[in-house]
Amino acid sequence: AGSGVGVSALLPMVTLRASSLPRFFRCGASSLPSSIEINASNEAASNGTAMHEVLRGLPASGIDWARIPAVAAKHGADPDETRMLVAMGAKLWNQVKGSFVGAMTEVPLRYEIAPGVTLTGHADLIAVSQTSMRVADWKGGRKDSDHSHQFKAYATMALLSSSDLQEVTSTGLWVRDGEIENYSMCRADAHQWVADLLEAVASRHIYRPGPHCAYCPRNFECEASNALIRRDVAAISDRSLLARVECDLATMSGSEIIDVLQKADLVVKFAARVRDAVRAHVEQHGDVVADGVRLTLVEQSGRELDPLK
């Protein structure tokens, strides 16, 4: 193994993308093959993709603002939202560009950390000096969860792929929050992280359901996730719990409040997916009528404020 870490011959053949590792470390079973390949899309993801494409030219030639409408249309993104994200990215770039002199963009990374266990990913930015490297990843979402394993994966792949490097700093550039998240790793750090990853790979048949299930591509067929949903729906539907939350929240412990909110959030997310699926069905096939009820789409005109203008 390139990492030099001893591993069991029983490890499965698996390729892990760096971007999937935050979820993988929470539940290794999320990486198991699914019966149906699903690549869900949403406006936030489309805006992020458009932002990435525009920011790609930033280190070499700056931002071509005139391209934004065409790039947004290409990815089904909102042009105003894309422009705002790009502007925020440009502001953040001014804080870090001194560490990314001569940076390359969209660099593919790949490293076999053990026989049959491969890491892959695309670094948005890479800058190399004699014995060190800087790697960066643009983030268009909110910094509301732990992405450290993704950044550590970039650093590990870069570090272990070159015998000349002694240290790699991986940086998360959180555009909306204006925050810079750094992880510096030497070779010893990289080998320890690889050992932790291989331990997770070896136990990836163990399901660990939780709030992250809402973002898992396998949740539609995962019995552990379905059991979690049934449990949370039952808990949220309990009248005594509802009464306590509404009338006696001050007596609940912090952990109880967080737990009940996470359960409610998970139920809301799955309920929203049901509504989205039904809406898409009505859009494609027309009204649904049964038992004296009609499901139909109604267009409403309203006034809205454009905060950018």
Side-chain angles (χ1 to χ4, degrees):
S3 67
V5 178
V7 293
S8 167
L10 298 178
L11 281 175
M13 299 284 287
V14 59
T15 297
L16 297 170
R17 289 190 57 81
S19 59
S20 72
L21 291 181
R23 186 184 67 244
F24 176 79
F25 270 91
R26 294 184 181 96
C27 178
S30 65
S31 67
L32 295 173
S34 59
S35 59
I36 302 174
E37 292 295 327
I38 296 178
N39 185 17
S41 61
N42 54 63
E43 184 177 340
S46 299
N47 292 338
T49 301
M51 176 201 74
H52 273 80
E53 180 167 337
V54 178
L55 289 177
R56 189 181 306 158
L58 187 57
S61 56
I63 295 172
D64 185 352
W65 298 96
R67 288 185 62 230
I68 290 179
V71 173
K74 171 184 173 183
H75 298 289
D78 180 270
D80 289 336
E81 184 78 4
T82 301
R83 183 179 295 274
M84 180 184 69
L85 290 173
V86 170
M88 290 177 170
K91 182 178 179 180
L92 201 57
W93 171 249
N94 287 332
Q95 300 180 44
V96 300
K97 63 182 180 182
S99 300
F100 289 90
V101 177
M104 299 175 286
T105 60
E106 292 293 323
V107 180
L109 296 171
R110 186 180 184 90
Y111 191 76
E112 187 177 33
I113 61 172
V117 182
T118 303
L119 274 178
T120 66
H122 268 78
D124 291 332
L125 297 163
I126 281 186
V128 185
S129 63
Q130 289 184 338
T131 59
S132 65
M133 178 185 289
R134 293 293 300 261
V135 183
D137 186 65
W138 293 107
K139 288 293 185 184
R142 290 290 183 186
K143 190 175 179 292
D144 55 0
S145 58
D146 183 5
H147 284 70
S148 60
H149 286 299
Q150 179 182 0
F151 304 137
K152 290 177 180 179
Y154 291 140
T156 296
M157 285 187 284
L159 189 59
L160 299 184
S161 295
S162 173
S163 59
D164 295 330
L165 293 175
Q166 299 302 316
E167 182 182 78
V168 173
T169 297
S170 185
T171 301
L173 299 172
W174 294 92
V175 171
R176 290 183 184 274
D177 297 285
E179 292 191 20
I180 300 167
E181 185 177 0
N182 289 318
Y183 293 90
S184 294
M185 300 178 71
C186 63
R187 290 189 173 275
D189 297 327
H191 287 306
Q192 180 57 57
W193 183 83
V194 165
D196 293 341
L197 177 60
L198 292 179
E199 183 177 346
V201 170
S203 61
R204 73 178 187 142
H205 60 285
I206 300 175
Y207 291 81
R208 296 181 175 88
H212 48 273
C213 290
Y215 307 101
C216 177
R218 298 190 65 250
N219 59 28
F220 70 96
E221 63 180 4
C222 175
E223 281 303 315
S225 175
N226 288 336
L228 182 71
I229 296 168
R230 287 192 293 269
R231 183 205 68 183
D232 290 349
V233 169
I236 295 300
S237 302
D238 187 283
R239 289 186 177 183
S240 62
L241 176 63
L242 180 60
R244 190 179 179 200
V245 170
E246 289 184 331
C247 305
D248 209 16
L249 195 64
T251 66
M252 297 177 67
S253 68
S255 60
E256 286 179 312
I257 294 173
I258 291 172
D259 180 63
V260 72
L261 182 61
Q262 287 179 336
K263 285 182 170 62
D265 284 345
L266 186 62
V267 172
V268 167
K269 286 171 184 173
F270 279 99
R273 290 175 59 181
V274 171
R275 292 186 64 87
D276 290 343
V278 172
R279 178 185 176 88
H281 177 83
V282 173
E283 287 179 335
Q284 183 176 359
H285 301 288
D287 291 3
V288 175
V289 182
D291 303 323
V293 176
R294 175 184 294 274
L295 300 180
T296 187
L297 296 178
V298 179
E299 293 187 8
Q300 294 179 322
S301 60
R303 300 174 65 187
E304 67 177 31
L305 174 68
D306 186 333
L308 290 176
K309 292 181 179 178

